[in-house]
Amino acid sequence: MENMANKVARIPNLVDWSTGEVRLMSAKCNSCGTYFFPKEHYQHRPGCSREGVEDILLPCKGKLASYTIQYYPCPAPFKTDKKITPYGIGLVEFEDEKIQVTGIITETDLKSLKIGMQMETTTLEMFTNEEKQQVVTWAFRAVK
Amino acid sequence: MRDVYIIGTGIHPWMGFSEKVFADFAAVAVDGALKDANVEWKKIQAIMAGIFIYGGNAGHLSGQYLESIFGETGIPVVNVYNACATGSASLRMAYNSVAAGETDTALAFGSDVSPKGFLTAKSDNAVQDRDVIRWKMGGLPNPIYWALECRKRMEKYGTTEEDLALVKVLMSEYGAKNPHARFKKTYTLEEVLNSAYVCDPLRLYEICPVSTGAAAVIITADKDLISKADKPVKINATTMGSSMYGDPTIRISALSCPSVPEAPMLSESYSASRQAYEKSGFGPEDIDVLELPDNSSWHYLVYLETCGFCKDGEADKMLRDGQTKIGAKLAVNPSGGFSSHGEALSAQALWQVIECANQLRGRCGDRQVENPKVAMAQTYGLMGNSGTTIMSL
């Protein structure tokens, strides 16, 4: 397992690695059954009582529903120490939760990307902060 | 509700970044609309202003700033924002005021100065504004959202890179004939296909940039003003729509979308267009001129389907068969579209309405559609904003 002790997410409450697996932090409405990501992005079914929203971690694996390859750097406030362009962006589907989530694709040959392929959630180091912590975002990579 | 007519329109031609301020451009467009309508400023009984989001306090109160230039008269001035459908919102409010009899003559306008460089986050609170997350952690400039949907479309319907390039070829042909357009160069299929990818499968010439521009529309129910106007254009419906639960589209600034559709794609525009069809009594089969929001080549294709001009997956064939050209039954984006203009956020929906009105009034020169009777302007803005306006002579 990777050493996650010195890592910090650039924005909290989006990605969790406390269980040993990297998983996205979602919320589920137990009234209308809808999953949200980010978890504060409520999108209830009209007429839902909105009662019983609970935090939930998405599975670590999903399938690639769509992707693109970005050839130009993302402007600030996006920031990485190393050049990452061209980078892949995937839309990964978590089937049981009926949700697709965007994320940067890492550690994957971009030429091998294909809709339907299995992906897993990971983290991507963006930069090192003043406290010498590695600041990360969530990302996806092809399942080997 | 009373019949409402467009009697005057004005545009400041679209361009790139400028050191001049939004009010300068707005004044040009409003002056043009007043002259076209042949009405005095004092006849304007309400101003519905699209705001300029990068203009600080002044931009957020764009209507008051505009009113002070022409002379303050104490009339209601309302400032509105609905992302890139802001112009639709301003026109709809002006229409409702006049149609309901609250006022006889009203002005809708929008003016936008392109920010230098890219659009990016406008706040720093990630809980309040998830736009912060997409910029800080997502690495998601706007065209990526379009590319993700475009890839899905290619997989599902067999849309090709040639289809995407053909949209630009066609738009550039029309844009070259439009004095209001920012981009007037024509492109061949090879030139578009040889342009660099921005976000594969979308290339540089297949997405629109941000621009500077201003547009103003004067509408009235005053019979005297209507009788004096040069070919007044009737507004048959002007509607707005928001998204519907279960819309599978990945919306700009969102980080997720439903995987099991329970509503149409681009449901905000599905909703706005269907409301307009119902209110106007016209359907897609009646429309002679359509201005749709071709933010990218993908939009051009999907909007033909979203608005019911063909079934899902058939837009590529319509394009390839020339069914969307000037001279065909339906002329799509005879203006050259956003592809030839770029987005001027609060002005673009009004500019689309003006192109439709100009087509109906026979003012479009080399890009004139032959004798159109009904025209439709369809726009859309991020996070579930859309507007449709159907007009006729």
Side-chain angles (χ1 to χ4, degrees):
Chain A
M1 201 183 104
E2 295 171 64
N3 175 20
M4 294 290 196
N6 199 33
K7 292 192 179 186
V8 59
R10 189 166 184 200
I11 297 171
N13 296 319
L14 292 162
V15 57
D16 177 271
W17 51 79
S18 63
T19 64
E21 292 174 324
V22 182
R23 295 167 75 172
L24 294 169
M25 299 169 74
S26 173
K28 180 193 181 188
C29 173
N30 285 311
S31 296
C32 69
T34 312
Y35 284 75
F36 313 125
F37 182 80
K39 58 185 184 175
E40 298 91 356
H41 183 186
Y42 303 123
Q43 288 190 293
H44 291 281
R45 183 182 291 275
C48 173
S49 68
R50 308 193 310 281
E51 287 168 5
V53 176
E54 61 171 339
D55 288 356
I56 208 158
L57 297 176
L58 291 177
C60 51
K61 288 190 175 67
K63 72 173 185 196
L64 194 61
S66 189
Y67 64 93
T68 177
I69 299 161
Q70 169 74 8
Y71 285 85
Y72 293 87
C74 184
F78 191 77
K79 178 178 153 186
T80 53
D81 279 341
K82 292 177 200 151
K83 176 178 177 284
I84 65 163
T85 48
Y87 61 94
I89 288 274
L91 195 53
V92 170
E93 179 166 334
F94 298 94
E95 195 174 355
D96 291 345
E97 293 74 15
K98 298 178 184 169
I99 191 170
Q100 296 177 355
V101 179
T102 64
I104 293 173
I105 295 172
T106 187
E107 298 170 45
T108 305
D109 176 10
L110 298 178
K111 290 196 187 74
S112 72
L113 293 174
K114 203 169 166 30
I115 287 177
M117 68 193 283
Q118 284 288 307
M119 305 294 284
E120 61 188 353
T121 313
T122 183
T123 56
L124 172 71
E125 287 175 24
M126 303 181 82
F127 55 89
T128 304
N129 66 14
E130 288 172 0
E131 289 81 39
K132 306 289 180 207
Q133 293 171 303
Q134 286 165 358
V135 179
V136 303
T137 184
W138 78 91
F140 299 116
R141 67 184 172 204
V143 175
K144 282 175 186 155
Chain B
M1 300 285 265
R2 304 187 289 176
D3 285 349
V4 178
Y5 289 82
I6 295 170
I7 54 167
T9 67
I11 282 183
H12 186 290
W14 262 229
M15 57 191 278
F17 176 76
S18 170
E19 295 293 343
K20 290 206 293 184
V21 300
F22 79 93
D24 298 332
F25 297 107
V28 170
V30 171
D31 239 346
L34 289 165
K35 287 196 177 77
D36 181 26
N38 196 24
V39 298
E40 292 174 38
W41 173 248
K42 288 180 183 171
K43 285 276 189 186
I44 303 295
Q45 295 168 1
I47 300 171
M48 303 304 183
I51 72 163
F52 170 47
I53 56 170
Y54 297 101
N57 194 48
H60 295 172
L61 296 169
S62 60
Q64 273 73 15
Y65 273 69
L66 186 279
E67 187 193 21
S68 75
I69 292 171
F70 286 84
E72 291 167 333
T73 54
I75 58 174
V77 176
V78 182
N79 304 287
V80 64
Y81 179 61
N82 284 82
C84 294
T86 293
S88 306
S90 64
L91 181 64
R92 179 178 171 277
M93 291 197 304
Y95 172 89
N96 283 340
S97 173
V98 174
E102 180 198 41
T103 58
D104 290 328
T105 304
L107 164 70
F109 83 93
S111 176
D112 234 76
V113 181
S114 166
K116 272 183 181 167
F118 292 92
L119 300 175
T120 186
K122 290 178 276 296
S123 81
D124 199 31
N125 182 330
V127 176
Q128 177 174 278
D129 179 5
R130 65 181 168 276
D131 212 31
V132 176
I133 303 172
R134 73 126 159 171
W135 287 111
K136 278 194 165 179
M137 284 175 78
L140 291 162
N142 291 5
I144 284 183
Y145 290 88
W146 310 334
L148 289 170
E149 289 295 347
C150 190
R151 175 91 57 199
K152 280 187 179 176
R153 178 182 181 87
M154 293 167 93
E155 179 90 357
K156 191 170 179 186
Y157 297 130
T159 300
T160 65
E161 296 214 26
E162 283 73 20
D163 294 331
L164 301 175
L166 186 53
V167 173
K168 176 62 182 180
V169 172
L170 196 55
M171 292 299 89
S172 73
E173 184 187 322
Y174 300 159
K177 298 173 181 168
N178 187 346
H180 299 140
R182 173 178 170 192
F183 303 107
K184 297 193 176 75
K185 181 180 173 334
T186 57
Y187 290 90
T188 64
L189 200 65
E190 290 69 32
E191 284 172 321
V192 181
L193 286 170
N194 286 330
S195 70
Y197 283 123
V198 171
C199 39
D200 182 357
L202 293 175
R203 296 173 185 277
L204 182 61
Y205 295 142
E206 295 166 353
I207 58 175
C208 77
V210 287
S211 288
T212 295
V217 174
I218 294 171
I219 61 172
T220 192
D222 181 326
K223 290 195 167 56
D224 185 41
L225 295 183
I226 294 166
S227 69
K228 287 179 186 163
D230 172 33
K231 298 193 191 94
V233 172
K234 184 178 176 183
I235 297 179
N236 300 90
T238 186
T239 61
M240 290 199 75
S242 60
S243 297
M244 296 151 76
Y245 177 87
D247 179 343
T249 321
I250 179 79
R251 284 178 224 159
I252 292 179
S253 100
L255 300 159
S256 65
C257 59
S259 63
V260 179
E262 293 190 40
M265 279 194 74
L266 295 165
S267 56
E268 63 274 42
S269 297
Y270 178 90
S271 172
S273 60
R274 295 322 184 274
Q275 290 178 59
Y277 297 148
E278 191 180 330
K279 283 187 178 154
S280 69
F282 291 122
E285 66 283 0
D286 301 310
I287 309 293
D288 302 311
V289 176
L290 170 66
E291 283 289 327
L292 57 73
D294 59 319
N295 299 55
S296 73
S297 290
W298 167 72
H299 291 78
Y300 182 101
L301 295 169
V302 72
Y303 261 92
L304 290 168
E305 297 163 7
T306 297
C307 296
F309 289 90
C310 62
K311 293 189 183 125
D312 289 352
E314 291 183 354
D316 316 81
K317 186 171 187 314
M318 270 187 88
L319 173 72
R320 288 174 208 152
D321 293 352
Q323 293 175 45
T324 60
K325 284 185 170 177
I326 295 173
K329 186 178 171 297
L330 173 72
V332 178
N333 290 8
S335 66
F338 291 179
S339 172
S340 304
H341 288 74
E343 292 197 273
L345 202 153
S346 65
Q348 63 202 49
L350 290 172
W351 154 72
Q352 290 181 303
V353 166
I354 293 172
E355 173 71 14
C356 288
N358 281 340
Q359 287 286 350
L360 293 169
R361 297 166 105 180
R363 295 175 170 186
C364 290
D366 290 344
R367 65 181 199 287
Q368 179 65 46
V369 175
E370 197 182 336
N371 203 22
K373 298 283 190 283
V374 185
M376 170 166 151
Q378 175 67 48
T379 195
Y380 109 117
L382 63 77
M383 288 317 298
N385 288 288
S386 182
T388 307
T389 302
I390 295 179
M391 295 147 270
S392 62
L393 269 184

